[in-house]
PDB file of all heavy atoms in Angstrom:
ATOM      1  N   THR A   1      81.708 121.034  99.394  1.00 80.00           N
ATOM      2  CA  THR A   1      80.948 120.533  98.252  1.00 80.00           C
ATOM      3  C   THR A   1      80.648 119.060  98.472  1.00 80.00           C
ATOM      4  O   THR A   1      81.392 118.355  99.135  1.00 80.00           O
ATOM      5  CB  THR A   1      81.726 120.691  96.942  1.00 80.00           C
ATOM      6  OG1 THR A   1      82.972 120.011  97.063  1.00 80.00           O
ATOM      7  CG2 THR A   1      81.965 122.145  96.623  1.00 80.00           C
ATOM      8  N   PHE A   2      79.555 118.611  97.942  1.00 85.00           N
ATOM      9  CA  PHE A   2      79.098 117.238  98.059  1.00 85.00           C
ATOM     10  C   PHE A   2      78.838 116.903  99.522  1.00 85.00           C
ATOM     11  O   PHE A   2      78.824 117.756 100.391  1.00 85.00           O
ATOM     12  CB  PHE A   2      80.112 116.271  97.430  1.00 85.00           C
ATOM     13  CG  PHE A   2      80.480 116.628  96.027  1.00 85.00           C
ATOM     14  CD1 PHE A   2      81.777 117.018  95.707  1.00 85.00           C
ATOM     15  CD2 PHE A   2      79.544 116.592  95.017  1.00 85.00           C
ATOM     16  CE1 PHE A   2      82.119 117.366  94.417  1.00 85.00           C
ATOM     17  CE2 PHE A   2      79.878 116.944  93.719  1.00 85.00           C
ATOM     18  CZ  PHE A   2      81.169 117.343  93.426  1.00 85.00           C
ATOM     19  N   SER A   3      78.630 115.655  99.770  1.00 91.00           N
ATOM     20  CA  SER A   3      78.314 115.196 101.118  1.00 91.00           C
ATOM     21  C   SER A   3      79.493 114.442 101.704  1.00 91.00           C
ATOM     22  O   SER A   3      80.223 113.757 100.986  1.00 91.00           O
ATOM     23  CB  SER A   3      77.093 114.284 101.069  1.00 91.00           C
ATOM     24  OG  SER A   3      76.909 113.604 102.289  1.00 91.00           O
ATOM     25  N   PHE A   4      79.678 114.578 103.004  1.00 93.00           N
ATOM     26  CA  PHE A   4      80.754 113.836 103.678  1.00 93.00           C
ATOM     27  C   PHE A   4      80.678 112.352 103.363  1.00 93.00           C
ATOM     28  O   PHE A   4      81.694 111.672 103.271  1.00 93.00           O
ATOM     29  CB  PHE A   4      80.641 114.066 105.186  1.00 93.00           C
ATOM     30  CG  PHE A   4      81.602 113.262 106.004  1.00 93.00           C
ATOM     31  CD1 PHE A   4      82.950 113.594 106.046  1.00 93.00           C
ATOM     32  CD2 PHE A   4      81.161 112.174 106.759  1.00 93.00           C
ATOM     33  CE1 PHE A   4      83.846 112.861 106.820  1.00 93.00           C
ATOM     34  CE2 PHE A   4      82.041 111.445 107.536  1.00 93.00           C
ATOM     35  CZ  PHE A   4      83.388 111.781 107.563  1.00 93.00           C
ATOM     36  N   SER A   5      79.486 111.838 103.178  1.00 92.00           N
ATOM     37  CA  SER A   5      79.306 110.400 103.008  1.00 92.00           C
ATOM     38  C   SER A   5      79.967 109.863 101.742  1.00 92.00           C
ATOM     39  O   SER A   5      80.222 108.661 101.655  1.00 92.00           O
ATOM     40  CB  SER A   5      77.819 110.036 102.998  1.00 92.00           C
ATOM     41  OG  SER A   5      77.170 110.626 101.884  1.00 92.00           O
ATOM     42  N   ILE A   6      80.236 110.709 100.743  1.00 93.00           N
ATOM     43  CA  ILE A   6      80.843 110.194  99.516  1.00 93.00           C
ATOM     44  C   ILE A   6      82.363 110.124  99.608  1.00 93.00           C
ATOM     45  O   ILE A   6      83.018 109.664  98.669  1.00 93.00           O
ATOM     46  CB  ILE A   6      80.424 111.009  98.275  1.00 93.00           C
ATOM     47  CG1 ILE A   6      80.972 112.438  98.361  1.00 93.00           C
ATOM     48  CG2 ILE A   6      78.918 111.005  98.091  1.00 93.00           C
ATOM     49  CD1 ILE A   6      82.236 112.667  97.553  1.00 93.00           C
ATOM     50  N   TYR A   7      82.890 110.554 100.725  1.00 95.00           N
ATOM     51  CA  TYR A   7      84.345 110.515 100.907  1.00 95.00           C
ATOM     52  C   TYR A   7      84.782 109.233 101.604  1.00 95.00           C
ATOM     53  O   TYR A   7      84.212 108.852 102.640  1.00 95.00           O
ATOM     54  CB  TYR A   7      84.814 111.711 101.714  1.00 95.00           C
ATOM     55  CG  TYR A   7      84.722 113.024 100.968  1.00 95.00           C
ATOM     56  CD1 TYR A   7      83.560 113.776 100.980  1.00 95.00           C
ATOM     57  CD2 TYR A   7      85.812 113.507 100.241  1.00 95.00           C
ATOM     58  CE1 TYR A   7      83.472 114.970 100.287  1.00 95.00           C
ATOM     59  CE2 TYR A   7      85.736 114.707  99.555  1.00 95.00           C
ATOM     60  CZ  TYR A   7      84.562 115.430  99.570  1.00 95.00           C
ATOM     61  OH  TYR A   7      84.482 116.609  98.883  1.00 95.00           O
ATOM     62  N   ASP A   8      85.784 108.582 101.037  1.00 97.00           N
ATOM     63  CA  ASP A   8      86.493 107.558 101.788  1.00 97.00           C
ATOM     64  C   ASP A   8      87.347 108.281 102.818  1.00 97.00           C
ATOM     65  O   ASP A   8      87.955 109.315 102.517  1.00 97.00           O
ATOM     66  CB  ASP A   8      87.421 106.743 100.881  1.00 97.00           C
ATOM     67  CG  ASP A   8      86.666 105.872  99.904  1.00 97.00           C
ATOM     68  OD1 ASP A   8      85.451 105.690 100.078  1.00 97.00           O
ATOM     69  OD2 ASP A   8      87.312 105.374  98.960  1.00 97.00           O
ATOM     70  N   MET A   9      87.415 107.733 104.006  1.00 98.00           N
ATOM     71  CA  MET A   9      88.233 108.300 105.065  1.00 98.00           C
ATOM     72  C   MET A   9      89.302 107.287 105.462  1.00 98.00           C
ATOM     73  O   MET A   9      89.029 106.087 105.506  1.00 98.00           O
ATOM     74  CB  MET A   9      87.380 108.650 106.279  1.00 98.00           C
ATOM     75  CG  MET A   9      86.261 109.635 105.993  1.00 98.00           C
ATOM     76  SD  MET A   9      86.865 111.229 105.415  1.00 98.00           S
ATOM     77  CE  MET A   9      87.765 111.785 106.863  1.00 98.00           C
ATOM     78  N   ALA A  10      90.476 107.797 105.749  1.00 98.00           N
ATOM     79  CA  ALA A  10      91.577 106.896 106.085  1.00 98.00           C
ATOM     80  C   ALA A  10      92.468 107.518 107.154  1.00 98.00           C
ATOM     81  O   ALA A  10      92.467 108.733 107.357  1.00 98.00           O
ATOM     82  CB  ALA A  10      92.402 106.584 104.839  1.00 98.00           C
ATOM     83  N   TRP A  11      93.204 106.645 107.798  1.00 98.00           N
ATOM     84  CA  TRP A  11      94.233 107.054 108.752  1.00 98.00           C
ATOM     85  C   TRP A  11      95.573 106.508 108.277  1.00 98.00           C
ATOM     86  O   TRP A  11      95.670 105.330 107.885  1.00 98.00           O
ATOM     87  CB  TRP A  11      93.938 106.528 110.146  1.00 98.00           C
ATOM     88  CG  TRP A  11      92.764 107.191 110.797  1.00 98.00           C
ATOM     89  CD1 TRP A  11      91.466 106.771 110.774  1.00 98.00           C
ATOM     90  CD2 TRP A  11      92.779 108.400 111.567  1.00 98.00           C
ATOM     91  NE1 TRP A  11      90.677 107.643 111.479  1.00 98.00           N
ATOM     92  CE2 TRP A  11      91.457 108.649 111.984  1.00 98.00           C
ATOM     93  CE3 TRP A  11      93.776 109.296 111.946  1.00 98.00           C
ATOM     94  CZ2 TRP A  11      91.105 109.751 112.759  1.00 98.00           C
ATOM     95  CZ3 TRP A  11      93.439 110.393 112.717  1.00 98.00           C
ATOM     96  CH2 TRP A  11      92.114 110.614 113.117  1.00 98.00           C
ATOM     97  N   PHE A  12      96.561 107.367 108.325  1.00 98.00           N
ATOM     98  CA  PHE A  12      97.946 107.007 108.056  1.00 98.00           C
ATOM     99  C   PHE A  12      98.775 107.443 109.264  1.00 98.00           C
ATOM    100  O   PHE A  12      98.307 108.222 110.088  1.00 98.00           O
ATOM    101  CB  PHE A  12      98.458 107.716 106.798  1.00 98.00           C
ATOM    102  CG  PHE A  12      97.800 107.255 105.519  1.00 98.00           C
ATOM    103  CD1 PHE A  12      96.533 107.688 105.165  1.00 98.00           C
ATOM    104  CD2 PHE A  12      98.473 106.384 104.675  1.00 98.00           C
ATOM    105  CE1 PHE A  12      95.936 107.256 103.986  1.00 98.00           C
ATOM    106  CE2 PHE A  12      97.886 105.955 103.489  1.00 98.00           C
ATOM    107  CZ  PHE A  12      96.608 106.393 103.152  1.00 98.00           C
ATOM    108  N   ARG A  13      99.986 106.949 109.345  1.00 98.00           N
ATOM    109  CA  ARG A  13     100.876 107.376 110.422  1.00 98.00           C
ATOM    110  C   ARG A  13     102.302 107.466 109.908  1.00 98.00           C
ATOM    111  O   ARG A  13     102.680 106.778 108.959  1.00 98.00           O
ATOM    112  CB  ARG A  13     100.802 106.417 111.618  1.00 98.00           C
ATOM    113  CG  ARG A  13     101.290 105.008 111.334  1.00 98.00           C
ATOM    114  CD  ARG A  13     100.981 104.098 112.521  1.00 98.00           C
ATOM    115  NE  ARG A  13     101.411 102.721 112.259  1.00 98.00           N
ATOM    116  CZ  ARG A  13     101.089 101.695 113.040  1.00 98.00           C
ATOM    117  NH1 ARG A  13     100.320 101.878 114.113  1.00 98.00           N
ATOM    118  NH2 ARG A  13     101.523 100.485 112.726  1.00 98.00           N
ATOM    119  N   GLN A  14     103.056 108.325 110.575  1.00 98.00           N
ATOM    120  CA  GLN A  14     104.452 108.508 110.205  1.00 98.00           C
ATOM    121  C   GLN A  14     105.298 108.610 111.454  1.00 98.00           C
ATOM    122  O   GLN A  14     105.154 109.556 112.245  1.00 98.00           O
ATOM    123  CB  GLN A  14     104.630 109.752 109.346  1.00 98.00           C
ATOM    124  CG  GLN A  14     106.026 109.903 108.781  1.00 98.00           C
ATOM    125  CD  GLN A  14     106.092 110.949 107.685  1.00 98.00           C
ATOM    126  OE1 GLN A  14     105.214 111.793 107.543  1.00 98.00           O
ATOM    127  NE2 GLN A  14     107.144 110.884 106.878  1.00 98.00           N
ATOM    128  N   ALA A  15     106.161 107.619 111.633  1.00 97.00           N
ATOM    129  CA  ALA A  15     107.087 107.612 112.752  1.00 97.00           C
ATOM    130  C   ALA A  15     108.342 108.392 112.380  1.00 97.00           C
ATOM    131  O   ALA A  15     108.641 108.548 111.192  1.00 97.00           O
ATOM    132  CB  ALA A  15     107.446 106.175 113.112  1.00 97.00           C
ATOM    133  N   PRO A  16     109.089 108.862 113.364  1.00 93.00           N
ATOM    134  CA  PRO A  16     110.313 109.617 113.065  1.00 93.00           C
ATOM    135  C   PRO A  16     111.268 108.830 112.185  1.00 93.00           C
ATOM    136  O   PRO A  16     111.570 107.666 112.466  1.00 93.00           O
ATOM    137  CB  PRO A  16     110.909 109.861 114.453  1.00 93.00           C
ATOM    138  CG  PRO A  16     109.751 109.822 115.378  1.00 93.00           C
ATOM    139  CD  PRO A  16     108.813 108.798 114.811  1.00 93.00           C
ATOM    140  N   GLY A  17     111.700 109.444 111.101  1.00 95.00           N
ATOM    141  CA  GLY A  17     112.661 108.813 110.215  1.00 95.00           C
ATOM    142  C   GLY A  17     112.092 107.755 109.299  1.00 95.00           C
ATOM    143  O   GLY A  17     112.850 107.089 108.584  1.00 95.00           O
ATOM    144  N   LYS A  18     110.776 107.598 109.317  1.00 97.00           N
ATOM    145  CA  LYS A  18     110.145 106.573 108.479  1.00 97.00           C
ATOM    146  C   LYS A  18     109.146 107.199 107.524  1.00 97.00           C
ATOM    147  O   LYS A  18     108.711 108.337 107.701  1.00 97.00           O
ATOM    148  CB  LYS A  18     109.459 105.527 109.351  1.00 97.00           C
ATOM    149  CG  LYS A  18     110.415 104.724 110.213  1.00 97.00           C
ATOM    150  CD  LYS A  18     109.708 103.578 110.905  1.00 97.00           C
ATOM    151  CE  LYS A  18     110.675 102.729 111.703  1.00 97.00           C
ATOM    152  NZ  LYS A  18     109.995 101.580 112.371  1.00 97.00           N
ATOM    153  N   GLU A  19     108.767 106.427 106.532  1.00 97.00           N
ATOM    154  CA  GLU A  19     107.780 106.898 105.571  1.00 97.00           C
ATOM    155  C   GLU A  19     106.374 106.816 106.174  1.00 97.00           C
ATOM    156  O   GLU A  19     106.111 106.001 107.065  1.00 97.00           O
ATOM    157  CB  GLU A  19     107.861 106.060 104.288  1.00 97.00           C
ATOM    158  CG  GLU A  19     109.159 106.241 103.519  1.00 97.00           C
ATOM    159  CD  GLU A  19     109.150 105.476 102.207  1.00 97.00           C
ATOM    160  OE1 GLU A  19     108.226 104.680 101.978  1.00 97.00           O
ATOM    161  OE2 GLU A  19     110.079 105.688 101.411  1.00 97.00           O
ATOM    162  N   ARG A  20     105.506 107.635 105.638  1.00 98.00           N
ATOM    163  CA  ARG A  20     104.110 107.588 106.070  1.00 98.00           C
ATOM    164  C   ARG A  20     103.499 106.271 105.584  1.00 98.00           C
ATOM    165  O   ARG A  20     103.714 105.862 104.441  1.00 98.00           O
ATOM    166  CB  ARG A  20     103.350 108.777 105.494  1.00 98.00           C
ATOM    167  CG  ARG A  20     102.011 109.037 106.135  1.00 98.00           C
ATOM    168  CD  ARG A  20     101.413 110.355 105.688  1.00 98.00           C
ATOM    169  NE  ARG A  20     102.268 111.494 106.050  1.00 98.00           N
ATOM    170  CZ  ARG A  20     101.892 112.756 105.917  1.00 98.00           C
ATOM    171  NH1 ARG A  20     100.682 113.054 105.434  1.00 98.00           N
ATOM    172  NH2 ARG A  20     102.712 113.724 106.260  1.00 98.00           N
ATOM    173  N   GLU A  21     102.728 105.624 106.462  1.00 98.00           N
ATOM    174  CA  GLU A  21     102.173 104.319 106.124  1.00 98.00           C
ATOM    175  C   GLU A  21     100.674 104.262 106.410  1.00 98.00           C
ATOM    176  O   GLU A  21     100.163 104.948 107.294  1.00 98.00           O
ATOM    177  CB  GLU A  21     102.871 103.213 106.917  1.00 98.00           C
ATOM    178  CG  GLU A  21     102.687 103.281 108.407  1.00 98.00           C
ATOM    179  CD  GLU A  21     103.331 102.108 109.135  1.00 98.00           C
ATOM    180  OE1 GLU A  21     104.008 101.279 108.497  1.00 98.00           O
ATOM    181  OE2 GLU A  21     103.139 102.015 110.367  1.00 98.00           O
ATOM    182  N   PHE A  22     100.010 103.397 105.654  1.00 98.00           N
ATOM    183  CA  PHE A  22      98.576 103.194 105.800  1.00 98.00           C
ATOM    184  C   PHE A  22      98.271 102.485 107.108  1.00 98.00           C
ATOM    185  O   PHE A  22      98.981 101.553 107.516  1.00 98.00           O
ATOM    186  CB  PHE A  22      98.070 102.372 104.614  1.00 98.00           C
ATOM    187  CG  PHE A  22      96.662 101.877 104.774  1.00 98.00           C
ATOM    188  CD1 PHE A  22      95.597 102.740 104.613  1.00 98.00           C
ATOM    189  CD2 PHE A  22      96.410 100.549 105.084  1.00 98.00           C
ATOM    190  CE1 PHE A  22      94.293 102.296 104.759  1.00 98.00           C
ATOM    191  CE2 PHE A  22      95.126 100.087 105.232  1.00 98.00           C
ATOM    192  CZ  PHE A  22      94.062 100.962 105.071  1.00 98.00           C
ATOM    193  N   VAL A  23      97.164 102.899 107.741  1.00 98.00           N
ATOM    194  CA  VAL A  23      96.705 102.248 108.966  1.00 98.00           C
ATOM    195  C   VAL A  23      95.319 101.621 108.751  1.00 98.00           C
ATOM    196  O   VAL A  23      95.128 100.433 108.977  1.00 98.00           O
ATOM    197  CB  VAL A  23      96.648 103.247 110.135  1.00 98.00           C
ATOM    198  CG1 VAL A  23      96.077 102.580 111.376  1.00 98.00           C
ATOM    199  CG2 VAL A  23      98.034 103.817 110.423  1.00 98.00           C
ATOM    200  N   ALA A  24      94.354 102.442 108.318  1.00 98.00           N
ATOM    201  CA  ALA A  24      92.979 101.954 108.167  1.00 98.00           C
ATOM    202  C   ALA A  24      92.202 102.884 107.253  1.00 98.00           C
ATOM    203  O   ALA A  24      92.541 104.056 107.123  1.00 98.00           O
ATOM    204  CB  ALA A  24      92.288 101.851 109.521  1.00 98.00           C
ATOM    205  N   ALA A  25      91.152 102.338 106.624  1.00 98.00           N
ATOM    206  CA  ALA A  25      90.295 103.139 105.744  1.00 98.00           C
ATOM    207  C   ALA A  25      88.868 102.634 105.825  1.00 98.00           C
ATOM    208  O   ALA A  25      88.626 101.456 106.130  1.00 98.00           O
ATOM    209  CB  ALA A  25      90.788 103.087 104.300  1.00 98.00           C
ATOM    210  N   ILE A  26      87.933 103.549 105.507  1.00 98.00           N
ATOM    211  CA  ILE A  26      86.510 103.216 105.557  1.00 98.00           C
ATOM    212  C   ILE A  26      85.796 103.950 104.445  1.00 98.00           C
ATOM    213  O   ILE A  26      86.100 105.116 104.148  1.00 98.00           O
ATOM    214  CB  ILE A  26      85.922 103.567 106.936  1.00 98.00           C
ATOM    215  CG1 ILE A  26      84.476 103.080 107.071  1.00 98.00           C
ATOM    216  CG2 ILE A  26      86.023 105.064 107.225  1.00 98.00           C
ATOM    217  CD1 ILE A  26      83.946 103.151 108.506  1.00 98.00           C
ATOM    218  N   ASP A  27      84.840 103.271 103.795  1.00 96.00           N
ATOM    219  CA  ASP A  27      84.112 103.925 102.711  1.00 96.00           C
ATOM    220  C   ASP A  27      82.687 104.272 103.162  1.00 96.00           C
ATOM    221  O   ASP A  27      82.332 104.125 104.334  1.00 96.00           O
ATOM    222  CB  ASP A  27      84.118 103.057 101.451  1.00 96.00           C
ATOM    223  CG  ASP A  27      83.264 101.805 101.561  1.00 96.00           C
ATOM    224  OD1 ASP A  27      82.530 101.655 102.566  1.00 96.00           O
ATOM    225  OD2 ASP A  27      83.324 100.979 100.638  1.00 96.00           O
ATOM    226  N   ARG A  28      81.889 104.739 102.212  1.00 92.00           N
ATOM    227  CA  ARG A  28      80.560 105.246 102.542  1.00 92.00           C
ATOM    228  C   ARG A  28      79.650 104.165 103.110  1.00 92.00           C
ATOM    229  O   ARG A  28      78.720 104.477 103.852  1.00 92.00           O
ATOM    230  CB  ARG A  28      79.908 105.856 101.310  1.00 92.00           C
ATOM    231  CG  ARG A  28      79.567 104.862 100.228  1.00 92.00           C
ATOM    232  CD  ARG A  28      78.684 105.470  99.169  1.00 92.00           C
ATOM    233  NE  ARG A  28      79.417 106.392  98.315  1.00 92.00           N
ATOM    234  CZ  ARG A  28      78.821 107.170  97.412  1.00 92.00           C
ATOM    235  NH1 ARG A  28      77.512 107.151  97.268  1.00 92.00           N
ATOM    236  NH2 ARG A  28      79.528 107.975  96.652  1.00 92.00           N
ATOM    237  N   SER A  29      79.898 102.920 102.733  1.00 92.00           N
ATOM    238  CA  SER A  29      79.075 101.824 103.243  1.00 92.00           C
ATOM    239  C   SER A  29      79.647 101.227 104.517  1.00 92.00           C
ATOM    240  O   SER A  29      79.142 100.203 104.987  1.00 92.00           O
ATOM    241  CB  SER A  29      78.956 100.732 102.177  1.00 92.00           C
ATOM    242  OG  SER A  29      80.215 100.128 101.935  1.00 92.00           O
ATOM    243  N   SER A  30      80.688 101.864 105.036  1.00 94.00           N
ATOM    244  CA  SER A  30      81.408 101.408 106.227  1.00 94.00           C
ATOM    245  C   SER A  30      82.179 100.124 106.005  1.00 94.00           C
ATOM    246  O   SER A  30      82.519  99.424 106.971  1.00 94.00           O
ATOM    247  CB  SER A  30      80.477 101.282 107.443  1.00 94.00           C
ATOM    248  OG  SER A  30      80.036 102.556 107.846  1.00 94.00           O
ATOM    249  N   ALA A  31      82.455  99.807 104.749  1.00 96.00           N
ATOM    250  CA  ALA A  31      83.438  98.758 104.487  1.00 96.00           C
ATOM    251  C   ALA A  31      84.803  99.278 104.939  1.00 96.00           C
ATOM    252  O   ALA A  31      85.090 100.475 104.802  1.00 96.00           O
ATOM    253  CB  ALA A  31      83.464  98.422 103.003  1.00 96.00           C
ATOM    254  N   THR A  32      85.610  98.378 105.444  1.00 98.00           N
ATOM    255  CA  THR A  32      86.885  98.806 106.016  1.00 98.00           C
ATOM    256  C   THR A  32      88.051  97.984 105.492  1.00 98.00           C
ATOM    257  O   THR A  32      87.880  96.854 105.019  1.00 98.00           O
ATOM    258  CB  THR A  32      86.859  98.684 107.552  1.00 98.00           C
ATOM    259  OG1 THR A  32      86.566  97.331 107.907  1.00 98.00           O
ATOM    260  CG2 THR A  32      85.828  99.612 108.159  1.00 98.00           C
ATOM    261  N   ARG A  33      89.227  98.578 105.594  1.00 98.00           N
ATOM    262  CA  ARG A  33      90.474  97.878 105.322  1.00 98.00           C
ATOM    263  C   ARG A  33      91.484  98.300 106.374  1.00 98.00           C
ATOM    264  O   ARG A  33      91.468  99.453 106.821  1.00 98.00           O
ATOM    265  CB  ARG A  33      90.989  98.188 103.915  1.00 98.00           C
ATOM    266  CG  ARG A  33      90.078  97.678 102.798  1.00 98.00           C
ATOM    267  CD  ARG A  33      90.659  97.912 101.425  1.00 98.00           C
ATOM    268  NE  ARG A  33      91.862  97.107 101.185  1.00 98.00           N
ATOM    269  CZ  ARG A  33      92.533  97.115 100.044  1.00 98.00           C
ATOM    270  NH1 ARG A  33      92.136  97.887  99.044  1.00 98.00           N
ATOM    271  NH2 ARG A  33      93.599  96.367  99.895  1.00 98.00           N
ATOM    272  N   TYR A  34      92.354  97.359 106.744  1.00 98.00           N
ATOM    273  CA  TYR A  34      93.339  97.625 107.782  1.00 98.00           C
ATOM    274  C   TYR A  34      94.712  97.140 107.349  1.00 98.00           C
ATOM    275  O   TYR A  34      94.843  96.153 106.613  1.00 98.00           O
ATOM    276  CB  TYR A  34      92.963  96.896 109.074  1.00 98.00           C
ATOM    277  CG  TYR A  34      91.708  97.397 109.732  1.00 98.00           C
ATOM    278  CD1 TYR A  34      90.475  96.798 109.477  1.00 98.00           C
ATOM    279  CD2 TYR A  34      91.749  98.471 110.616  1.00 98.00           C
ATOM    280  CE1 TYR A  34      89.319  97.256 110.077  1.00 98.00           C
ATOM    281  CE2 TYR A  34      90.594  98.942 111.230  1.00 98.00           C
ATOM    282  CZ  TYR A  34      89.380  98.326 110.948  1.00 98.00           C
ATOM    283  OH  TYR A  34      88.242  98.796 111.551  1.00 98.00           O
ATOM    284  N   ALA A  35      95.725  97.810 107.854  1.00 98.00           N
ATOM    285  CA  ALA A  35      97.074  97.280 107.733  1.00 98.00           C
ATOM    286  C   ALA A  35      97.152  96.012 108.572  1.00 98.00           C
ATOM    287  O   ALA A  35      96.516  95.914 109.630  1.00 98.00           O
ATOM    288  CB  ALA A  35      98.087  98.307 108.237  1.00 98.00           C
ATOM    289  N   ASP A  36      97.916  95.054 108.116  1.00 98.00           N
ATOM    290  CA  ASP A  36      98.022  93.780 108.834  1.00 98.00           C
ATOM    291  C   ASP A  36      98.488  93.990 110.276  1.00 98.00           C
ATOM    292  O   ASP A  36      98.064  93.273 111.184  1.00 98.00           O
ATOM    293  CB  ASP A  36      98.996  92.853 108.111  1.00 98.00           C
ATOM    294  CG  ASP A  36      98.419  92.309 106.818  1.00 98.00           C
ATOM    295  OD1 ASP A  36      97.193  92.375 106.628  1.00 98.00           O
ATOM    296  OD2 ASP A  36      99.211  91.812 105.989  1.00 98.00           O
ATOM    297  N   SER A  37      99.329  94.968 110.490  1.00 98.00           N
ATOM    298  CA  SER A  37      99.919  95.171 111.813  1.00 98.00           C
ATOM    299  C   SER A  37      98.909  95.648 112.852  1.00 98.00           C
ATOM    300  O   SER A  37      99.181  95.565 114.051  1.00 98.00           O
ATOM    301  CB  SER A  37     101.066  96.181 111.719  1.00 98.00           C
ATOM    302  OG  SER A  37     100.595  97.430 111.238  1.00 98.00           O
ATOM    303  N   VAL A  38      97.755  96.152 112.418  1.00 98.00           N
ATOM    304  CA  VAL A  38      96.792  96.693 113.378  1.00 98.00           C
ATOM    305  C   VAL A  38      95.484  95.899 113.423  1.00 98.00           C
ATOM    306  O   VAL A  38      94.614  96.196 114.242  1.00 98.00           O
ATOM    307  CB  VAL A  38      96.476  98.177 113.091  1.00 98.00           C
ATOM    308  CG1 VAL A  38      97.766  98.986 113.019  1.00 98.00           C
ATOM    309  CG2 VAL A  38      95.654  98.351 111.824  1.00 98.00           C
ATOM    310  N   LYS A  39      95.341  94.910 112.566  1.00 98.00           N
ATOM    311  CA  LYS A  39      94.109  94.118 112.536  1.00 98.00           C
ATOM    312  C   LYS A  39      93.846  93.484 113.899  1.00 98.00           C
ATOM    313  O   LYS A  39      94.743  92.931 114.523  1.00 98.00           O
ATOM    314  CB  LYS A  39      94.201  93.028 111.468  1.00 98.00           C
ATOM    315  CG  LYS A  39      94.041  93.538 110.049  1.00 98.00           C
ATOM    316  CD  LYS A  39      94.131  92.406 109.040  1.00 98.00           C
ATOM    317  CE  LYS A  39      93.972  92.923 107.618  1.00 98.00           C
ATOM    318  NZ  LYS A  39      94.124  91.846 106.606  1.00 98.00           N
ATOM    319  N   GLY A  40      92.606  93.618 114.335  1.00 98.00           N
ATOM    320  CA  GLY A  40      92.227  93.048 115.617  1.00 98.00           C
ATOM    321  C   GLY A  40      92.453  93.971 116.799  1.00 98.00           C
ATOM    322  O   GLY A  40      91.973  93.704 117.899  1.00 98.00           O
TER     323      GLY A  40
END
């Protein structure tokens, strides 16, 4: 339903024994956000 373009897409990661954490996200206009640890 709807178009892929209206979905924000994100990546998370989970290391063994740790909680799942945010890595990066992108919206329909290709604005982005990153975890500080992966910026650059």
Side-chain angles (χ1 to χ4, degrees):
T1 57
F2 307 115
S3 168
F4 175 74
S5 64
I6 66 99
Y7 290 87
D8 291 346
M9 301 298 296
W11 290 93
F12 293 78
R13 64 188 179 190
Q14 187 167 18
K18 295 188 177 181
E19 294 184 351
R20 195 170 299 189
E21 64 176 5
F22 169 76
V23 176
I26 187 168
D27 70 8
R28 67 169 73 188
S29 66
S30 292
T32 58
R33 295 184 67 178
Y34 293 94
D36 288 343
S37 60
V38 306
K39 285 180 180 177

